[in-house]
């Protein structure tokens, strides 16, 4: 089966974040030992840069048996494999990939760091080696910076057992794949179809799958190497979500795209949602709790509702000084504000991003660290479920408590469309909080938070620390530390904004959003 690839990766932190420190190279470059399947097969030239190492492409192609073609001017390089070719060049992050007989330009992947050219030829980043030699030839690629070794090891082939189901409800078709272990995969999009391509794994379907009649899915083809979903006209698929438990469930939502022609009748009875069409320009910050609903309290007397408002004000000031964005607070004083009113404010302001700010608490005093959540029908674990139940206890303006009504909002077309972006942004937020502040990594999680339901934009809930932990509470009560937390969120938002607008530029869309000059306060 011929498969095409479309992989969009985030823009590099080093290239897009001028304030971030670059990793200091241990050496400017030289020759590294090249090992293939545990055999030393020679050396490969390399250079070290702040955004990662680069490796000479020519000796790697020779050692691994791939065909490399170089254009007459040395600008275009083509790596050829049995199922796919990759076209790229120096100083370009975009890689064009085609299957035999395919047309160049239909599928692309975006590197986080570009290849470079020097006197010895083209040198490529580790990421490109993983996407080409790794995925196409079945190698794990490892770079040992201390021992100066580049190692290509055969991936252990695993067989994962599982089942496939397809359900259509609330204008959304949901394909669920249950795996006996966590799969290694690539999500690939192509005209009229998407595919889950397993990497180093094989899939054994333990129960027969008979596709039910579905208005959005024409066919589902299950094979040992992956699952292909053939889409109905005007249908599109969100990126997969993984729900981890006794089994790992991969969930893919398929929805009806809005028709663009003025003569066409909309497919749903709500305005069409343009997902981040002009980049990230309006951000709504939601200071959690407020008024009579104080939220968590710490042993040192801290009150969550006061701290979230202080953090939101700090973050608003920093964002507006350092980026060309408009920032709206759902509340700017200590008042009661129902949960559904908060997301309504974001929708009314046509926000491009919604962030609900909270501080956590738990039984005992040992829990610490940050957590970032995005919306899901089911919680990713028991702790996430408990937290969602606690946060959802604050009544909504409409008194909406029926489970069916909650699911209707949760599976609303607009929010489903934004789930993949919410997950992407949540991962960036968590990474910044972990790396910058040295916080314990409690991970990105999923839960049915009411405050995120119905958002017509990417939406996350961030728990910035535990007030129940006396040591962490003492830090959170320090305005300097709250400023550092705000700076981490600024960096995360700027990275996400850059990635969104880079993907739009790749698709030929123009963004009207530009970065504002740095303030005298200094970059985050």
């Amino acid at each position: 089966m011929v498969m095409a690839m479309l992989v969009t990766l985030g823009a590099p932190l080093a290239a897009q974040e001028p304030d971030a420190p670059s990793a200091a190279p241990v050496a400017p470059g030289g020759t590294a030992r090249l090992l293939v399947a545990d055999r030393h097969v020679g050396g490969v030239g390399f250079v070290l840069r702040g955004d990662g190492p680069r490796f000479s492409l020519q000796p790697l192609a020779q050692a691994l048996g791939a065909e490399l073609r170089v254009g007459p001017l040395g600008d275009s390089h083509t790596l050829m494999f049995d199922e796919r070719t990759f076209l790229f060049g120096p100083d370009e992050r975009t890689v064009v990939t085609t299957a035999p007989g395919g047309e160049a330009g239909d599928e692309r992947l975006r590197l986080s760091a570009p290849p470079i050219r020097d006197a010895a030829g083209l040198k490529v980043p580790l990421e490109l080696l993983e996407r080409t030699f790794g995925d196409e030839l079945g190698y794990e690629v490892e770079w040992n910076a201390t021992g100066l070794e580049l190692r290509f090891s055969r991936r252990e082939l695993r067989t994962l057992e599982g089942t496939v189901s397809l359900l259509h409800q609330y204008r959304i078709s949901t394909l669920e794949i249950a795996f006996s272990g966590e799969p290694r995969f690539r999500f690939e999009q192509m005209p009229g179809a998407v595919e889950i391509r397993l990497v180093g794994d094989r899939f054994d379907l333990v129960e027969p799958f008979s596709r039910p009649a579905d208005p959005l899915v024409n066919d589902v083809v299950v094979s040992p190497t992956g699952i292909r979903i053939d889409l109905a006209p005007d249908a599109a698929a969100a990126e997969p979500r993984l729900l981890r438990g006794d089994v790992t469930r991969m969930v893919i939502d398929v929805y009806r795209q809005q028709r663009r022609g003025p003569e066409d009748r909309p497919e749903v009875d709500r305005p069409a949602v343009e997902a981040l069409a002009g980049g990230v320009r309006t951000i709504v910050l939601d200071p959690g709790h407020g008024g009579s609903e104080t939220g968590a309290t710490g042993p040192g007397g801290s009150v969550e509702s006061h701290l979230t408002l202080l953090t939101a004000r700090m973050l608003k000031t920093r964002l507006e000084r350092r980026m060309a964005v408009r920032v709206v607070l759902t509340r700017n004083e200590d008042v009661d504000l129902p949960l559904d009113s908060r997301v309504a404010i974001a929708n009314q302001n046509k926000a491009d991003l919604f962030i609900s700010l909270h501080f956590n608490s738990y039984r005992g005093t040992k829990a610490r660290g940050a957590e970032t959540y995005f919306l899901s029908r089911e919680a990713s674990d028991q702790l996430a479920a408990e937290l969602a139940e606690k946060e959802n206890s604050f009544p909504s303006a409409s008194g909406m408590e029926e489970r069916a009504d909650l699911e209707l909002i949760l599976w609303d077309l607009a929010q489903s469309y934004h789930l993949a972006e919410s997950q992407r942004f949540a991962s960036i937020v968590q990474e910044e909080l972990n790396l910058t502040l040295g916080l314990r990594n409690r991970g990105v999680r999923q839960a049915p938070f009411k405050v995120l339901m119905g958002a017509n934009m990417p939406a996350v809930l961030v728990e910035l620390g535990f007030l129940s932990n006396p040591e962490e509470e003492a830090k959170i009560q320090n305005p300097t530390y709250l400023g550092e937390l705000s700076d981490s969120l600024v960096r995360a938002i700027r990275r996400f904004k850059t990635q969104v607008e880079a993907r739009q530029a790749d698709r030929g869309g123009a963004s009207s959003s530009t970065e504002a000059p740095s303030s005298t306060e200094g970059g985050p």
Side-chain angles (χ1 to χ4, degrees):
M1 177 173 57
V2 174
M3 297 180 288
M5 175 185 288
L6 171 60
V7 181
T8 305
L9 301 173
L13 179 59
Q16 302 296 344
E17 298 288 335
D19 303 314
S22 298
V26 297
T31 301
R33 282 166 46 90
L34 178 60
L35 293 94
V36 178
D38 295 327
R39 292 177 52 246
H40 178 216
V41 296
V44 57
F46 73 94
V47 294
L48 295 177
R49 293 176 39 136
D51 56 353
R54 307 292 200 282
F55 302 93
S56 294
L57 182 60
Q58 184 69 46
L60 292 175
Q62 291 176 348
L64 294 164
E67 183 178 354
L68 174 63
R69 296 180 181 177
V70 182
L73 300 180
D75 287 328
S76 65
H77 292 68
T78 304
L79 268 177
M80 306 185 69
F81 299 92
D82 290 340
E83 292 190 3
R84 194 171 279 101
T85 64
F86 297 83
L87 175 64
F88 48 89
D91 303 318
E92 293 291 338
R93 288 193 176 90
T94 298
V95 179
V96 177
T97 173
T98 65
E103 295 183 4
D106 285 347
E107 295 85 38
R108 296 184 289 182
L109 67 87
R110 185 171 176 82
L111 301 173
S112 58
I116 62 173
R117 181 168 54 190
D118 59 17
L122 193 72
K123 288 184 168 61
V124 299
L126 189 66
E127 181 183 7
L128 184 57
L129 301 182
E130 293 170 341
R131 297 295 192 183
T132 54
F133 300 108
D135 288 354
E136 297 303 315
L137 300 180
Y139 286 108
E140 293 287 352
V141 187
E142 301 174 84
W143 165 238
N144 183 341
T146 303
L148 300 182
E149 287 185 348
L150 182 63
R151 181 184 296 269
F152 290 80
S153 305
R154 286 293 182 187
R155 286 179 174 146
E156 177 186 356
L157 186 63
R158 303 181 304 169
T159 297
L160 302 178
E161 296 182 338
T163 59
V164 177
S165 62
L166 179 64
L167 176 66
H168 181 80
Q169 59 180 352
Y170 307 136
R171 303 188 299 271
I172 301 292
S173 296
T174 302
L175 185 77
E176 182 177 294
I177 311 163
F179 293 95
S180 57
E182 185 158 336
R184 298 171 291 193
F185 68 95
R186 301 294 182 206
F187 180 60
E188 304 177 355
Q189 300 189 40
M190 59 205 76
V194 296
E195 188 156 11
I196 305 301
R197 182 186 178 209
L198 297 178
V199 178
D201 292 333
R202 295 182 70 80
F203 184 54
D204 183 8
L205 189 64
V206 296
E207 295 179 4
F209 169 66
S210 178
R211 180 184 61 84
D214 192 288
L216 301 177
V217 176
N218 286 340
D219 199 7
V220 178
V221 180
V222 182
S223 73
T225 59
I227 296 92
R228 176 188 173 102
I229 309 169
D230 291 328
L231 304 174
D234 298 328
E239 292 190 15
R241 294 176 287 127
L242 291 181
L243 305 178
R244 298 170 176 87
D246 293 337
V247 298
T248 298
R249 292 183 296 137
M250 178 184 294
V251 179
I252 304 168
D253 294 329
V254 181
Y255 56 91
R256 182 78 66 186
Q257 295 186 99
Q258 294 289 338
R259 295 176 179 173
R260 300 299 182 185
E263 73 282 358
D264 289 321
R265 178 183 300 175
E267 293 294 329
V268 295
D269 57 353
R270 62 174 61 248
V273 176
E274 294 289 345
L276 301 175
V280 177
R281 296 174 296 178
T282 299
I283 300 167
V284 170
L285 304 178
D286 172 43
H289 307 281
S292 61
E293 218 290 303
T294 58
T297 57
S302 59
V303 177
E304 182 182 3
S305 59
H306 298 166
L307 290 168
T308 58
L309 182 56
L310 178 59
T311 305
R313 288 170 174 168
M314 285 184 176
L315 181 54
K316 172 180 167 67
T317 299
R318 283 164 163 76
L319 285 169
E320 291 181 335
R321 284 180 179 176
R322 299 171 185 173
M323 299 170 61
V325 294
R326 179 172 72 103
V327 181
V328 177
L329 301 187
T330 58
R331 65 179 181 92
N332 202 17
E333 53 186 336
D334 190 23
V335 295
D336 290 310
L337 185 63
L339 293 176
D340 50 358
S341 296
R342 297 168 188 258
V343 76
I345 292 171
N347 290 337
Q348 291 163 6
N349 282 275
K350 298 182 179 179
D352 302 301
L353 201 56
F354 177 74
I355 307 168
S356 189
L357 301 170
H358 292 260
F359 289 92
N360 216 336
S361 67
Y362 194 64
R363 299 181 292 270
T365 61
K366 294 183 179 180
R368 61 188 179 91
E371 300 170 342
T372 309
Y373 290 84
F374 66 97
L375 188 64
S376 174
R377 180 174 57 180
E378 298 180 15
S380 54
D381 54 71
Q382 183 59 36
L383 292 179
E386 292 177 6
L387 180 63
E389 183 178 2
K390 180 177 66 175
E391 297 290 358
N392 291 346
S393 62
F394 189 40
S396 63
S398 61
M400 188 171 44
E401 300 296 337
E402 294 294 332
R403 178 65 179 172
D405 291 340
L406 291 178
E407 289 189 352
L408 179 61
I409 293 175
L410 178 60
W411 289 103
D412 177 83
L413 173 66
Q415 179 56 39
S416 179
Y417 191 80
H418 292 296
L419 281 176
E421 290 297 322
S422 299
Q423 182 177 12
R424 189 191 308 274
F425 178 57
S427 298
I428 295 174
V429 169
Q430 191 67 31
E431 179 182 299
E432 283 294 338
L433 290 171
N434 293 339
L435 297 181
T436 306
L437 299 176
L439 295 176
R440 179 186 176 190
N441 182 11
R442 299 182 65 89
V444 173
R445 298 183 178 186
Q446 302 153 260
F449 286 103
K450 288 183 184 178
V451 74
L452 302 180
M453 293 178 182
N456 288 344
M457 73 292 298
V460 300
L461 183 147
V462 187
E463 297 279 358
L464 291 165
F466 281 81
L467 298 182
S468 53
N469 183 314
E471 180 182 348
E472 200 154 77
E473 180 195 22
K475 292 196 298 183
I476 292 169
Q477 288 177 310
N478 186 332
T480 300
Y481 182 75
L482 286 184
E484 292 173 351
L485 286 174
S486 299
D487 287 342
S488 295
L489 293 173
V490 170
R491 275 190 291 273
I493 292 167
R494 185 159 58 187
R495 285 177 60 187
F496 180 71
K497 179 178 187 290
T498 300
Q499 290 181 13
V500 166
E501 292 165 5
R503 292 198 301 274
Q504 291 172 356
D506 280 349
R507 293 193 298 266
S511 170
S512 60
S513 179
T514 57
E515 294 289 349
S518 300
S519 71
T520 55
E521 179 182 311

